[in-house]
Amino acid sequence: MPLLENNTRFTINNMEQYDEVCVQLNKQLTILHSTSQQFSTKVALYEAVHNAMEHGDFPISIQFVTQPNDVTITVRDQGEGFLVSKKINLIQKQGLDQLLDEQKFSTRGRGIYMMCKMVSQVVFNDKGNEVSLIIKEV
């Protein structure tokens, strides 16, 4: 995993900036990951960004922090967040595979489960308006 600047940040201030920032995010992922990791990381990242856009408030910040063996991508919005513990408890109780299977034909409600499945680790702040996606080098 080639090292870039240790800390790269993007900001989406409004819907008009979304496409432009997505182009930059795709370039960043291409530099950071092998082709095999790009897809899963992109799915998790875009789920996090879309959740921030739908449930949060602008501006949305996206920060890439590189380490020798992993990358952490943090997405933060200015919204009120959500009850993180409820979702985490459900995942621990039922398991990701079962929850994804139950939601496979739903148009909503799978984003957090998909993020958890696609990257090494997903960490939310207590408020629920920030998620960190940790991708370990494979």
Side-chain angles (χ1 to χ4, degrees):
M1 181 179 311
L3 284 177
L4 306 174
E5 295 176 33
N6 184 37
N7 188 338
T8 305
R9 185 179 301 265
F10 302 91
T11 303
I12 303 173
N13 291 303
N14 52 53
M15 286 299 294
E16 290 75 31
Q17 290 182 329
Y18 174 74
D19 289 335
E20 179 184 326
V21 171
C22 284
V23 169
Q24 296 303 315
L25 293 175
N26 284 331
K27 288 179 184 177
Q28 188 78 1
L29 291 175
T30 301
I31 293 168
L32 285 174
H33 292 305
S34 65
T35 304
S36 62
Q37 280 188 305
Q38 285 178 33
F39 177 76
S40 59
T41 303
K42 187 183 289 189
V43 168
L45 173 58
Y46 281 81
E47 283 295 333
V49 171
H50 289 158
N51 280 350
M53 290 172 57
E54 182 176 348
H55 303 291
D57 202 1
F58 292 107
I60 299 166
S61 66
I62 305 152
Q63 180 179 15
F64 287 73
V65 176
T66 58
Q67 301 294 325
N69 295 313
D70 63 50
V71 175
T72 300
I73 306 171
T74 301
V75 178
R76 180 183 183 90
D77 64 66
Q78 302 307 307
E80 294 183 22
F82 72 101
L83 190 56
V84 174
S85 60
K86 182 177 178 183
K87 188 65 85 170
I88 299 302
N89 289 340
L90 185 62
I91 291 170
Q92 290 172 343
K93 180 179 177 185
Q94 293 187 7
L96 277 175
D97 291 334
Q98 180 179 339
L99 290 166
L100 281 167
D101 189 53
E102 290 172 1
Q103 295 286 328
K104 67 183 165 193
F105 297 114
S106 299
T107 57
R108 308 188 53 73
R110 299 179 305 224
I112 291 173
Y113 307 144
M114 289 171 57
M115 284 188 274
C116 291
K117 197 72 172 170
M118 296 290 179
V119 298
S120 304
Q121 187 177 3
V122 177
V123 179
F124 292 93
N125 69 352
D126 290 337
K127 184 176 178 181
N129 70 334
E130 178 181 290
V131 60
S132 294
L133 309 170
I134 301 166
I135 302 97
K136 303 283 185 192
E137 183 176 4
V138 291

